[in-house]
Amino acid sequence: MTSPRLLYIVVLVSLKMLLMYSYKSTDFEVHRNWLAVTSKLPVSEWYQDQEGQSHWTLDYPPVFAYFERGLAVMADVVDSNMTQLDNQEYASERTVIFQRSTVIFGDVLLFLATHAFLSQILRGYALWASVTLVVFHPGLLIVDSIHFQYNSMLYALLVFSYYQVLHRRYISGAVLFTILICAKHLYLYMAPAYFIFLLKNCVLPSRKKVQKFVLLGLSVIGTTLVVFLPFLDERSLTGVLKRLFPWGRGLCHAYWAPNSYALYSAGDLVLQKVLKIDASTSVGTRGLVDGYDGGDTHAVLPSITPRLSTQITLLFVSILIVMYWSRPPGGRSSSRHVVEVFELIVLCSLSSAIFFAFSWHVHEKAILMVSLPSALLLWLVPGPMILPTLCIYIVGTFSLFPLLFQAAELPLKIALVPLILVGIPILAPPQLRLPPTNVSAMLFVAFLAIYQSLHPMLTSRYPFLPLLMLSVSSAMVLLPAFYQLATGFLLYSWSWK
Amino acid sequence: MNSDGDLGAMEKNRNWIILVLFIAAITIRCMMLMMPHSGEGKPPMYGDYEAQRHWMEITNNLPVLDWYKNTADNDLQYWGLDYPPLTAFHSYICGAVGKLCVPEMVELHASRGIETYNTKVFMKLTVLLSDLFVYLPGAYYAVSGVAFSYKHTAVFVDALTLLWLHPCLLLIDHGHFQYNSVSIGLALFAVGAMARHRYLLASVFFTSSFLFKQIALYYAPAFFFGILALCMRDGFFVGVPNVLMTGLVVVGTVAVIFYPWLATLPATDDVGQVLHRMFPFSRGLFEDKVANFWCSVSVAVKFQRIFDLSVMLKVATGCTVVSLLPACLCNFRARYGSGTFVASVVASACSFFLFSFHVHEKSILFPIVMSALVPVAMPKENRQEAAKVVIILTFISLFSMYPLVVKDNLHVLYTSLMLATAAACELTCQSEAWLQLWRGIICVVVACHFIHAAFEPPERLPDLWTMMFTISSFCCFAAATIALTVAQLKCAFDLKYNPKWE
């Protein structure tokens, strides 16, 4: 019997290849520019602003830069024009095929990591359904294979670190997670969760607590130092940090991530209209997006500052940490390590959820940070938690639809709606019970996601309204789902299956 | 899906599985929307994509009677209409919708060679919608008709998957760009009707099918003998009125479709002009390099130089008839289900492909898509073998289209489809002997591609690599046709043969 994994990979590659010629966003040029920057400039200049160069500057941490450097070696063989610094917007056929192939390679890595991890816990149909839910996540399809990013590769790294934790190799898990953060600092969303998990399950139970703690700390710090080795002088370091954490941007991203500020801002707008307040003093929707200059963000409701949003986020993270710390350990001793890693994954997704809901300038692509772990969790969570996990998975995907705004992707989006609404529940565990309220909510969000594309063809008035409604309704499903997931996890003591 | 294990769950969820498969089929077609098409960026003639667009332009701007005539506005040298009227009507509808969405696409003369983003999306959408409304339902109707004696969902779903996601059809229709799916879809409707013994309905569908693309006449002998056998089932005197009814229905359908041209008779010979465009017999024995008998044998014996064209026409016709007759005549001894009829359809189409005049490499579509029905229509003990043969043959058909892929720059789509089909073959061929055969075929295929990519052909024989592809494919097609005919004859004449249907 031929290896089922090989067949799966072949089918996976075959399907992802079909998207090679679809829409590519500015992220494609961003990554091409990074190929050029890392191959043509000396390391000390990677994070420094260059005159006359493309403004798509390197704003991921060094591990990603090293990855691009490695890719650039192969890129030079395929099409040497790709790595020229001043060849902006260069997108020859070979370039496109090469770059898309690297993303597909990341998809294959994700499959291998997910299969290796899940095959330790699940068997048979459950294993393959679960793997399919992760690897063929429609959100990944939209963001990675079309829009162009490398989330699948990075997520493979995360799953691999989970795999190490499953086998109680905490230090290598921590090291892998550190490398991941040094590849995309967005994974800092999960850092508090990982930290507190390691504290509770690795340091505390051991007999030499201090030694363990110091060892973990040293390995994390050591890894970071090794990664940042070429950048350890002040000039380079400030350059890197400035790129990684640009604080000058506005509260909401251009597409209004479906978080609490979307609801807050929408409420503010409604109140403006109802109370007939002149919007010239407030900044309306543009000010939220364009930039933050210290002024008022909202007209009627109190303003949100970066400091306030950080405080709210840290407040909820602290609540999560405290409640997790005081939770008794669950599960039979034989499957203790499975319960542990399950706790880790849920903690990571909850931590990401909190940051997604409350932090400053959240990109709507960040919903993948919550949605991808939820794909992993769907077959692992106990019964009551399946529904919120599924809601996060499905509604999170619909909220990403506005990213594909060109005509050629509209049929795909329309076809994806029934595929997601019918196919995902079929692949979900059989204990899933979908109440009509959730179904109608998902249908409503799906309708808005499609309508958002059709609206410009019908009328030119209120161009931003469908996007606003989509973000608001997605937030109204996602935020309660986060809460349900958190309460299901933290408050109930359950025995592992 | 190939396991006989979880029978209960599959049966219960049969409709859900088919629904998901349907949506998946549409989604996959949506995913390949922006693939390259034939003649992209190649003035002055471009390719089949431009031909289809040009027909939308012609049909929407000129009166009906001018569609097939060489007029000042309609230059027949630039992709003149050479498919029957149903294609013209289909182009008219597409063009009418196009006028609303992308009017620059159908402007008379001004729209020649237009290749903008919006027009490309629109054109690809027309193929998708044609699939959605004609091909996908037709495939379902055919499979549900032919497979009625099976209780196993797995068999049903396997055949449906192959038909709905047929790689050759996806490559040609959605890549190279044509509307074969409409013609084949109508033919599938006809097969489904035949399986339900509704021969009048089948006649209407089949007539529409070949009045959309005359290549569907490849199936005609099988339909002729099949319907004849069905009519005569209850005896000669009951049969004759049935036959006459069928003839009337066929003539009626033709009359309805040809009405605009027939209405001008006997004043002008417009009908003749249409027929002349449909059947251009002044062309040669074969065009390009194609995996049929004449092209393959021409390596050794150049028939077209030895004999006169009219002689070759008779020889080709004779060979075709000899090849298809045994399988088709078996219709008179069809003892169980519709397996005999389906096999005769495939054998007929294969014979035409192998032996007839001016065969295009895309014509392999007509035999190979229909062959997906063969495993479903076979009795249980033949089913597994038939499934293996069919899937490997599909792979080889895809392989035989590689010269076209090179011309159209469709390598990405081709690789994707080859990988998926190879995975399907690997999954299907699980017995020792078949696995060896399949692995051998993969080696040959990979070797051919490697040689094609790595080395330049020798100067005296510039088509050598192409011939490599076509001759190897021809051997497989010929072998398959012979095997099918032999199996047909065995089934029809072996008195001890008592197929079990489960």
Side-chain angles (χ1 to χ4, degrees):
Chain A
M1 175 78 186
T2 336
S3 153
R5 283 195 298 176
L6 182 62
L7 287 178
Y8 198 97
I9 290 178
V10 169
V11 174
L12 169 66
V13 171
S14 152
L15 280 172
K16 295 276 177 163
M17 278 181 84
L18 291 176
L19 289 169
M20 275 195 173
Y21 286 96
S22 51
Y23 159 72
K24 36 187 203 306
S25 66
T26 48
D27 273 344
F28 185 84
E29 167 60 17
V30 167
H31 287 273
R32 189 215 61 75
N33 189 44
W34 292 356
L35 282 176
V37 162
T38 52
S39 66
K40 293 291 183 291
L41 293 177
V43 180
S44 55
E45 298 299 313
W46 282 2
Y47 287 93
Q48 305 302 327
D49 291 324
Q50 307 289 330
E51 278 182 26
Q53 300 293 3
S54 162
H55 69 286
W56 299 120
T57 49
L58 199 53
D59 55 2
Y60 276 16
V63 169
F64 204 87
Y66 301 143
F67 166 68
E68 293 280 4
R69 178 73 186 90
L71 276 185
V73 172
M74 287 189 283
D76 263 329
V77 173
V78 171
D79 185 350
S80 56
N81 288 320
M82 215 192 302
T83 48
Q84 298 304 326
L85 270 171
D86 44 8
N87 231 344
Q88 299 190 23
E89 305 294 332
Y90 184 73
S92 73
E93 190 150 10
R94 287 186 151 207
T95 311
V96 174
I97 294 180
F98 173 72
Q99 290 283 68
R100 294 273 193 209
S101 308
T102 55
V103 176
I104 294 178
F105 176 69
D107 288 322
V108 173
L109 282 180
L110 178 62
F111 167 75
L112 289 171
T114 315
H115 185 271
F117 173 69
L118 285 173
S119 57
Q120 307 289 317
I121 309 174
L122 302 167
R123 294 267 176 279
Y125 175 74
L127 171 62
W128 290 104
S130 195
V131 168
T132 309
L133 281 172
V134 175
V135 170
F136 282 104
H137 193 297
L140 265 186
L141 203 91
I142 293 175
V143 176
D144 267 25
S145 308
I146 300 183
H147 185 88
F148 201 87
Q149 278 201 337
Y150 286 95
N151 292 304
S152 53
M153 194 175 295
L154 297 168
Y155 194 60
L157 205 52
L158 182 65
V159 173
F160 194 36
S161 88
Y162 289 155
Y163 179 79
Q164 300 293 17
V165 169
L166 186 63
H167 288 282
R168 297 220 138 114
R169 298 194 276 263
Y170 297 110
I171 305 226
S172 42
V175 166
L176 283 169
F177 188 68
T178 316
I179 295 177
L180 179 62
I181 295 184
C182 292
K184 187 166 182 175
H185 53 301
L186 196 64
Y187 282 88
L188 279 171
Y189 281 12
M190 297 184 180
Y194 221 108
F195 176 72
I196 205 69
F197 169 82
L198 285 175
L199 217 56
K200 184 175 180 193
N201 292 297
C202 171
V203 174
L204 226 54
S206 90
R207 264 171 271 153
K208 302 178 197 160
K209 300 190 205 314
V210 176
Q211 206 178 24
K212 234 352 191 306
F213 183 78
V214 165
L215 202 59
L216 268 175
L218 276 178
S219 52
V220 168
I221 295 174
T223 317
T224 321
L225 277 176
V226 167
V227 165
F228 276 83
L229 211 54
F231 304 101
L232 284 177
D233 59 281
E234 186 183 329
R235 175 174 173 264
S236 303
L237 213 54
T238 43
V240 173
L241 289 173
K242 223 173 37 161
R243 291 283 181 79
L244 295 185
F245 303 104
W247 280 111
R249 300 189 191 166
L251 175 62
C252 299
H253 188 81
Y255 283 111
W256 271 37
N259 62 3
S260 54
Y261 300 130
L263 290 176
Y264 195 79
S265 312
D268 189 64
L269 273 174
V270 165
L271 283 173
Q272 275 181 37
K273 297 279 183 285
V274 163
L275 300 174
K276 296 195 180 21
I277 291 185
D278 182 14
S280 59
T281 50
S282 125
V283 284
T285 53
R286 292 215 67 201
L288 289 172
V289 176
D290 275 344
Y292 181 65
D293 55 358
D296 280 340
T297 50
H298 297 91
V300 179
L301 299 171
S303 284
I304 311 275
T305 62
R307 174 185 279 191
L308 182 61
S309 70
T310 319
Q311 286 169 343
I312 299 176
T313 315
L314 288 177
L315 172 69
F316 280 99
V317 169
S318 322
I319 297 177
L320 175 70
I321 287 177
V322 165
M323 297 210 67
Y324 171 65
W325 191 266
S326 53
R327 213 170 128 268
R332 296 182 285 274
S333 58
S334 57
S335 53
R336 188 81 194 92
H337 58 296
V338 177
V339 178
E340 261 181 23
V341 81
F342 162 75
E343 289 182 357
L344 174 61
I345 304 177
V346 177
L347 269 178
C348 284
S349 68
L350 284 176
S351 176
S352 307
I354 293 173
F355 274 90
F356 179 81
F358 297 111
S359 69
W360 190 264
H361 198 76
V362 174
H363 203 293
E364 81 277 354
K365 292 203 283 274
I367 189 63
L368 275 183
M369 301 288 284
V370 193
S371 194
L372 279 174
S374 72
L376 205 58
L377 284 172
L378 209 56
W379 276 85
L380 298 179
V381 291
M385 287 165 71
I386 298 184
L387 185 60
T389 316
L390 190 77
C391 286
I392 295 173
Y393 188 106
I394 293 185
V395 174
T397 308
F398 287 139
S399 72
L400 288 169
F401 273 22
L403 281 175
L404 305 177
F405 53 84
Q406 292 201 334
E409 277 72 41
L410 182 57
L412 179 60
K413 288 200 285 187
I414 296 177
L416 275 178
V417 168
L419 192 64
I420 292 173
L421 289 176
V422 176
I424 306 296
I426 285 185
L427 283 174
Q431 308 104 293
L432 170 72
R433 296 280 167 265
L434 259 184
T437 42
N438 291 77
V439 175
S440 18
M442 287 194 241
L443 277 169
F444 184 61
V445 173
F447 165 73
L448 283 175
I450 298 295
Y451 179 72
Q452 189 267 334
S453 287
L454 301 173
H455 184 81
M457 298 183 209
L458 300 170
T459 167
S460 58
R461 295 171 62 195
Y462 302 120
F464 193 69
L465 186 61
L467 202 51
L468 193 154
M469 289 183 62
L470 176 63
S471 296
V472 166
S473 49
S474 307
M476 291 207 291
V477 178
L478 284 173
L479 293 174
F482 294 162
Y483 178 73
Q484 270 186 307
L485 194 65
T487 48
F489 172 61
L490 293 170
L491 295 181
Y492 299 107
S493 65
W494 32 265
S495 58
W496 184 242
K497 38 184 177 238
Chain B
M1 250 199 260
N2 279 329
S3 70
D4 287 73
D6 205 10
L7 182 62
M10 260 212 141
E11 297 304 323
K12 265 190 301 190
N13 294 320
R14 174 175 162 141
N15 290 328
W16 283 113
I17 294 177
I18 293 179
L19 180 64
V20 172
L21 200 58
F22 183 77
I23 302 171
I26 306 272
T27 311
I28 287 177
R29 284 163 168 78
C30 290
M31 281 161 73
M32 58 176 77
L33 217 57
M34 292 310 279
M35 287 282 170
H37 52 76
S38 61
E40 189 164 19
K42 292 194 188 133
M45 284 303 277
Y46 302 95
D48 272 337
Y49 172 92
E50 170 65 13
Q52 304 288 348
R53 187 216 57 75
H54 180 68
W55 296 342
M56 294 183 199
E57 171 198 337
I58 294 291
T59 52
N60 270 280
N61 287 306
L62 300 178
V64 177
L65 294 174
D66 276 353
W67 289 355
Y68 288 90
K69 275 203 272 220
N70 209 350
T71 67
D73 279 332
N74 184 10
D75 177 16
L76 287 184
Q77 293 287 59
Y78 185 80
W79 299 115
L81 255 175
D82 52 4
Y83 284 132
L86 258 184
T87 297
F89 295 139
H90 176 262
S91 300
Y92 176 76
I93 298 173
C94 294
V97 176
K99 245 189 194 160
L100 298 170
C101 311
V102 271
E104 66 268 18
M105 198 186 72
V106 283
E107 281 207 33
L108 194 58
H109 303 311
S111 61
R112 278 211 187 171
I114 193 169
E115 277 177 349
T116 61
Y117 180 81
N118 285 337
T119 53
K120 190 169 172 180
V121 172
F122 179 79
M123 291 288 280
K124 295 286 172 119
L125 273 177
T126 56
V127 186
L128 202 151
L129 290 172
S130 303
D131 265 7
L132 178 62
F133 290 123
V134 182
Y135 178 71
L136 297 182
Y140 182 81
Y141 190 68
V143 175
S144 61
V146 167
F148 77 97
S149 37
Y150 278 104
K151 299 196 198 71
H152 260 228
T153 303
V155 178
F156 192 98
V157 169
D158 276 351
L160 207 55
T161 314
L162 183 56
L163 274 175
W164 276 355
L165 293 174
H166 205 282
C168 304
L169 205 58
L170 288 176
L171 182 69
I172 297 294
D173 272 18
H174 295 260
H176 180 82
F177 204 89
Q178 279 199 331
Y179 291 101
N180 296 301
S181 56
V182 178
S183 178
I184 297 183
L186 289 169
L188 283 169
F189 268 117
V191 171
M194 283 295 286
R196 292 169 169 85
H197 296 315
R198 315 232 345 234
Y199 52 89
L200 290 176
L201 194 61
S203 317
V204 173
F205 276 127
F206 181 62
T207 317
S208 320
S209 174
F210 76 73
L211 285 179
F212 189 93
K213 279 213 169 174
Q214 61 275 42
I215 308 181
L217 283 171
Y218 282 15
Y219 301 141
F223 272 94
F224 176 74
F225 285 109
I227 294 180
L228 197 61
L230 209 54
C231 292
M232 299 296 187
R233 209 172 28 149
D234 299 320
F236 187 77
F237 291 104
V238 179
V240 169
N242 290 342
V243 174
L244 288 174
M245 268 297 284
T246 316
L248 263 169
V249 165
V250 171
V251 170
T253 320
V254 174
V256 164
I257 291 175
F258 268 90
Y259 178 72
W261 295 269
L262 289 172
T264 68
L265 281 178
T268 49
D269 192 22
D270 286 330
V271 178
Q273 172 67 359
V274 177
L275 291 174
H276 179 72
R277 293 293 304 169
M278 275 167 61
F279 301 106
F281 274 116
S282 47
R283 296 190 196 171
L285 187 54
F286 53 80
E287 174 189 323
D288 272 340
K289 304 285 167 272
V290 70
N292 80 348
F293 180 77
W294 304 118
C295 180
S296 305
V297 167
S298 74
V299 174
V301 181
K302 302 248 182 287
F303 281 107
Q304 64 269 37
R305 293 204 200 138
I306 303 176
F307 298 106
D308 194 27
L309 204 62
S310 55
V311 174
M312 283 317 300
L313 185 57
K314 296 195 184 75
V315 172
T317 318
C319 288
T320 315
V321 169
V322 163
S323 169
L324 61 86
L325 217 47
C328 290
L329 286 175
C330 286
N331 273 309
F332 288 105
R333 282 190 73 98
R335 292 187 289 172
Y336 302 95
S338 37
T340 321
F341 177 67
V342 169
S344 67
V345 170
V346 177
S348 170
C350 277
S351 311
F352 269 97
F353 179 80
L354 289 174
F355 293 110
S356 87
F357 235 63
H358 200 71
V359 173
H360 205 292
E361 63 203 328
K362 298 193 291 279
S363 311
I364 191 62
L365 264 182
F366 282 76
I368 202 65
V369 174
M370 210 46 94
S371 73
L373 287 175
V374 170
V376 190
M378 292 273 133
K380 188 181 181 197
E381 58 252 18
N382 297 2
R383 190 202 342 135
Q384 299 282 1
E385 299 279 301
K388 294 178 171 82
V389 173
V390 163
I391 192 71
I392 292 182
L393 217 60
T394 312
F395 183 78
I396 293 176
S397 312
L398 200 58
F399 168 71
S400 75
M401 291 184 194
Y402 187 65
L404 195 66
V405 165
V406 174
K407 259 189 279 186
D408 291 345
N409 195 27
L410 276 168
H411 299 92
V412 171
L413 184 56
Y414 174 78
T415 315
S416 165
L417 292 170
M418 284 291 265
L419 285 175
T421 317
C425 289
E426 187 77 31
L427 202 58
T428 318
C429 297
Q430 287 302 318
S431 68
E432 257 316 304
W434 280 100
L435 207 55
Q436 304 277 20
L437 176 65
W438 161 243
R439 298 273 163 83
I441 290 177
I442 287 208
C443 290
V444 172
V445 164
V446 169
C448 284
H449 280 116
F450 179 71
I451 296 175
H452 187 276
F455 307 111
E456 286 294 317
E459 280 208 19
R460 285 196 319 122
L461 305 162
D463 290 319
L464 188 61
W465 297 160
T466 317
M467 293 301 280
M468 188 172 61
F469 282 85
T470 57
I471 293 182
S472 39
S473 314
F474 162 72
C475 295
C476 298
F477 296 147
T481 313
I482 294 173
L484 184 65
T485 313
V486 166
Q488 266 281 62
L489 291 169
K490 253 180 68 171
C491 179
F493 290 103
D494 188 352
L495 293 170
K496 288 191 290 241
Y497 186 70
N498 192 13
K500 285 179 267 304
W501 298 82
E502 192 312 80

